[in-house]
Amino acid sequence: MFKNSLSLALFILVVTILPAQKYFTKTGKVSFFSVAPMENIEAINRKAACVLNTQTGQLEFAILMKAFEFEKALMQEHFNENYVESDKYPKSTFKGKIENLSYINFTKDFTYSAIISGDLTIHGVTKNVKTKGTFTVSNGKIKGNATFTILLSDYNISIPSAVKEKISNEVKITVDVNLEPAAASN
């Protein structure tokens, strides 16, 4: 009995003293691509903030919508003013988890397949998403990537009838992050 109580006390002490292992970046890359008959649309945001807790599998992203860069300035203006309404909805977020965390060893260099699910908020609308991705562990750093598809209509982003042929309702989103250990004070 004493041995079990001592083991439990040591476990609680270790869990409460040791901070959760967190990795982060402020320079994650999120891009989207849309194929349409008249013109493909692509944009890249290199300012995505991401935090990963390797002990719990919790994963969070925050993306400023105005940080998306387009090849054409007019596309960027229309994106921010007419579609995602960046002044009204300045950021997009993802809050989720790694569902198969027990199969990933963040202390061992390797590329691990991951199943990620959570709540994606765009344009003030939150939807549950689930996708496959990978985490590559190398020399104490973690590179994560995933690709998934959303429908603009699911997020109340409407396409004016005048440009329905130019813009697809389906958008492919790609996420690439290079995560480093968070400082002990974080």
Side-chain angles (χ1 to χ4, degrees):
M1 172 89 168
F2 175 75
K3 194 176 195 179
N4 287 341
S5 296
L6 182 61
S7 296
L8 179 61
L10 284 174
F11 174 76
I12 291 171
L13 182 64
V14 168
V15 169
T16 56
I17 289 177
L18 293 177
Q21 187 60 50
K22 292 184 181 178
Y23 287 75
F24 81 104
T25 186
K26 293 180 183 176
T27 58
K29 178 180 156 190
V30 175
S31 60
F32 68 81
F33 185 76
S34 175
V35 177
M38 301 275 297
E39 183 173 32
N40 293 338
I41 298 172
E42 182 174 19
I44 299 172
N45 183 325
R46 292 181 176 87
K47 297 178 181 178
C50 175
V51 176
L52 167 65
N53 182 322
T54 58
Q55 288 181 340
T56 65
Q58 294 300 117
L59 186 63
E60 293 190 24
F61 283 87
I63 303 163
L64 291 176
M65 299 307 284
K66 285 189 176 181
F68 277 101
E69 298 173 356
F70 291 74
E71 186 177 313
K72 297 178 183 176
L74 186 59
M75 280 186 180
Q76 190 162 331
E77 183 181 324
H78 286 278
F79 171 79
N80 286 302
E81 292 177 8
N82 304 331
Y83 298 104
V84 297
E85 301 174 278
S86 297
D87 287 335
K88 188 174 181 181
Y89 307 104
K91 68 179 180 176
S92 174
T93 60
F94 174 82
K95 293 181 182 184
K97 65 179 181 177
I98 301 168
E99 289 191 3
N100 61 331
L101 182 63
S102 63
Y103 294 102
I104 300 173
N105 182 350
F106 286 109
T107 63
K108 183 178 177 185
D109 289 4
F110 191 71
T111 297
Y112 301 91
S113 294
I115 300 168
I116 302 159
S117 67
D119 292 328
L120 176 65
T121 302
I122 301 173
H123 198 242
V125 177
T126 302
K127 296 282 184 182
N128 190 266
V129 295
K130 186 173 182 175
T131 191
K132 293 180 182 178
T134 61
F135 288 101
T136 300
V137 179
S138 179
N139 297 318
K141 296 180 181 177
I142 301 169
K143 178 179 170 70
N145 63 47
T147 301
F148 58 99
T149 302
I150 66 165
L151 298 177
L152 296 177
S153 57
D154 285 347
Y155 294 90
N156 293 337
I157 299 171
S158 39
I159 303 168
S161 58
V163 290
K164 280 257 191 229
E165 280 75 45
K166 285 188 176 183
I167 300 172
S168 174
N169 186 43
E170 188 174 279
V171 176
K172 178 180 162 185
I173 298 173
T174 302
V175 178
D176 290 299
V177 291
N178 292 310
L179 303 165
E180 298 195 15
S185 62
N186 287 348

